[in-house]
Amino acid sequence: MLNLVLFGPPGAGKGTQSAKLIEKYGLIHLSTGDLLRAEITAGTSLGLEAKKLMDQGILVPDSVVIGMIENKLNENKGAAGFIFDGFPRTVAQAEALDTLLEGHQLSIKHMISLEVNQEELTQRLLERGKTSGRPDDQNEELIRKRVQEYGEKTAPVAGYYASQGKFQGINGIGEIEEIFGQIVRIIEG
């Protein structure tokens, strides 16, 4: 089973590359934001717990997110693999994900990081903001803050996977197909 963590700051191209990886390898896309919304819409116990916390402005705890991921693993036992997008964001989450996967006799095969500089990210997000309607993609100061927060909080996750020999950083600037080719070489290498 091919389990990947696709990593990179906002605007690095994770969504674009995830779609291509899903098409090529038949992976199940696990976006924590999508999972939260789906569980809330379905009215599951985890969804109700998450909604209650979110309504109070409290971050959903890792245990709830891990529970949602476990539900997806159980629902998709015959899957070719999973692509994790937006998770893990901290070393504690990476450790919890490893523990969960080990319980299913699974593991992360690669953690691939799309590396893009601050200026390129800012321009990409401002451009996306023109068509997406997302207010967080239309404010340059907010964009810079999001990218900085990513660097401070999630960069240690790269070190966690590097210590396991699973981290691969690639240049996320260039033609979409070139970047995809680099990812495929890592997976199939």
Side-chain angles (χ1 to χ4, degrees):
M1 185 179 275
L2 177 61
N3 296 308
L4 304 172
V5 173
L6 193 57
F7 207 64
K14 295 183 301 294
T16 300
Q17 295 300 331
S18 286
K20 295 182 78 53
L21 289 165
I22 290 162
E23 183 180 337
K24 181 168 179 66
Y25 296 104
L27 304 176
I28 305 286
H29 186 239
L30 290 181
S31 157
T32 50
D34 292 348
L35 284 178
L36 280 168
R37 286 184 287 279
E39 294 275 342
I40 290 167
T41 300
T44 67
S45 58
L46 284 172
L48 294 172
E49 183 180 345
K51 181 169 178 10
K52 187 172 86 176
L53 295 169
M54 290 163 68
D55 287 349
Q56 297 171 35
I58 299 171
L59 285 176
V60 177
D62 292 351
S63 60
V64 173
V65 176
I66 286 289
M68 292 177 183
I69 291 171
E70 181 159 35
N71 287 348
K72 278 295 183 193
L73 293 176
N74 290 331
E75 289 170 17
N76 296 281
K77 288 192 183 287
F82 296 89
I83 185 163
F84 294 89
D85 176 1
F87 190 88
R89 290 181 189 244
T90 65
V91 171
Q93 289 177 350
E95 291 169 348
L97 179 60
D98 276 355
T99 300
L100 171 65
L101 292 173
E102 286 166 13
H104 290 264
Q105 288 78 50
L106 302 172
S107 66
I108 295 297
K109 180 146 172 85
H110 299 286
M111 190 269 213
I112 301 170
S113 177
L114 299 174
E115 298 172 354
V116 181
N117 65 53
Q118 170 83 45
E119 288 311 309
E120 176 72 14
L121 291 170
T122 302
Q123 292 312 307
R124 285 182 184 184
L125 290 170
L126 287 170
E127 194 59 39
R128 185 171 82 182
K130 292 176 185 174
T131 57
S132 72
R134 289 177 49 170
D136 58 338
D137 285 347
Q138 297 172 17
N139 178 318
E140 190 168 335
E141 186 179 326
L142 192 55
I143 288 169
R144 291 185 186 283
K145 184 174 167 54
R146 284 167 54 206
V147 172
Q148 180 183 348
E149 184 173 320
Y150 166 85
E152 291 170 0
K153 293 188 177 169
T154 59
V157 177
Y160 174 82
Y161 285 107
S163 73
Q164 297 178 6
K166 297 177 180 179
F167 174 83
Q168 290 283 333
I170 63 169
N171 184 353
I173 300 175
E175 295 296 319
I176 291 169
E177 289 302 326
E178 285 175 22
I179 296 165
F180 184 63
Q182 291 179 65
I183 295 171
V184 169
R185 282 190 289 282
I186 290 167
I187 292 169
E188 296 181 359

